[in-house]
Amino acid sequence: MSEIKNKLVEFIIPTYNRKEPLKSMLASLVAQTDNDWAASVIIDNMISSEETFASAEICNSFKDKRIKVSFTDHRYNDWGHTPREMGKQASKADYIIMTGDDNYYTPNFVYELRKASELNPGMIYWDMVHSHYDYAYFKCTPAFNQIDMGAFATRNDLAKQIKLNTSYAADGEFVQKFVQKFGIKTTYKINKVLFVHN
């Protein structure tokens, strides 16, 4: 895994054969008004294939050094959670966001995260528009079934202390363990919709 240093936030993005959603996701990052971000795209398949190379080419087409590409040693096929854990452990950013290749962030997202990070909370979270609810407003809270992968950032040093499970609901389980370990007072909410879950 490539080390990405001295960035406020790193997006950990597992992907496998979803080229167009990945392109939209990365475009939302390149469009950020604040440049203090990095992205680690982890392709869940090291086997040479047309799909694998196409995903890597999409990343490289942005010609942005903040976007790094790596491959897993084999296909894990566990909703992207093993690649996320790999990316989390390798990250050097202040905050990490374990997200998906089909999500989208508003252009002011990193700017809003920077303002919130000045308080040095353990977890920062925000509201979203959620595809599972006909793209309706979804109010997030740091609790199981009340937040999704991609709708929260965790301080890197704290995130590394909690292993991400490989179950479908690993995002809710991670948040639940985080709050149990570090306390609800370590969390901070940005009361804005900054994220589209696709």
Side-chain angles (χ1 to χ4, degrees), residues 109-166:
F109 170 74
V110 175
Y111 170 76
E112 293 291 342
L113 188 71
R114 176 188 292 285
K115 289 197 300 183
S117 72
E118 291 174 358
L119 300 172
N120 197 34
M123 175 182 289
I124 303 169
Y125 62 103
W126 46 87
D127 291 336
M128 64 177 158
V129 171
H130 204 308
S131 61
H132 296 177
Y133 300 92
D134 295 323
Y135 289 95
Y137 166 73
F138 186 90
K139 185 176 182 179
C140 293
T141 57
F144 190 84
N145 284 337
Q146 298 299 313
I147 199 165
D148 274 305
M149 198 69 77
F152 61 92
T154 45
R155 226 175 66 199
N156 198 345
D157 60 328
L158 303 183
K160 282 181 166 61
Q161 297 180 43
I162 302 173
K163 185 173 181 181
L164 187 68
N165 292 336
T166 58

Side-chain angles (χ1 to χ4, degrees), residues 169-195:
D171 46 0
E173 293 167 0
F174 179 88
V175 170
Q176 189 174 50
K177 289 177 182 177
F178 190 98
V179 171
Q180 287 171 351
K181 185 174 181 67
F182 302 113
I184 192 69
K185 290 184 178 180
T186 64
T187 69
Y188 178 86
K189 182 171 186 180
I190 303 171
N191 284 304
K192 295 182 179 182
V193 173
L194 298 174
F195 172 63

Side-chain angles (χ1 to χ4, degrees), residues 2-177:
S2 299
E3 290 188 355
I4 301 172
K5 298 180 180 179
N6 304 321
K7 288 293 180 184
L8 170 66
V9 61
E10 182 175 356
F11 296 85
I12 310 297
I13 310 167
T15 190
Y16 177 74
N17 197 23
R18 296 209 292 186
K19 299 180 286 292
E20 291 306 313
L22 176 62
K23 187 186 295 183
S24 296
M25 168 62 178
L26 294 176
S28 80
L29 301 186
V30 172
Q32 291 296 309
T33 59
D34 190 314
N35 293 321
D36 199 5
W37 60 268
S40 178
V41 179
I42 307 169
I43 299 173
D44 187 21
N45 184 12
M46 70 167 288
I47 300 171
S48 297
S49 69
E50 183 178 338
E51 292 81 9
T52 298
F53 287 126
S55 296
E57 279 302 309
I58 284 172
C59 298
N60 295 332
S61 71
F62 284 92
K63 296 179 170 47
D64 193 316
K65 293 181 179 178
R66 295 169 296 182
I67 300 172
K68 304 294 183 184
V69 182
S70 62
F71 302 84
T72 60
D73 55 355
H74 65 275
R75 176 97 165 100
Y76 286 92
N77 196 26
D78 58 2
W79 297 281
H81 297 319
T82 294
R84 288 187 185 99
E85 179 64 23
M86 293 174 176
K88 174 167 71 73
Q89 293 300 329
S91 177
K92 301 296 181 183
D94 297 331
Y95 284 87
I96 58 169
I97 299 174
M98 298 175 288
T99 189
D101 59 4
D102 59 344
N103 296 327
Y104 186 92
Y105 292 86
T106 61
N108 63 326
F109 170 74
V110 175
Y111 170 76
E112 293 291 342
L113 188 71
R114 176 188 292 285
K115 289 197 300 183
S117 72
E118 291 174 358
L119 300 172
N120 197 34
M123 175 182 289
I124 303 169
Y125 62 103
W126 46 87
D127 291 336
M128 64 177 158
V129 171
H130 204 308
S131 61
H132 296 177
Y133 300 92
D134 295 323
Y135 289 95
Y137 166 73
F138 186 90
K139 185 176 182 179
C140 293
T141 57
F144 190 84
N145 284 337
Q146 298 299 313
I147 199 165
D148 274 305
M149 198 69 77
F152 61 92
T154 45
R155 226 175 66 199
N156 198 345
D157 60 328
L158 303 183
K160 282 181 166 61
Q161 297 180 43
I162 302 173
K163 185 173 181 181
L164 187 68
N165 292 336
T166 58
S167 65
Y168 177 76
D171 46 0
E173 293 167 0
F174 179 88
V175 170
Q176 189 174 50
K177 289 177 182 177

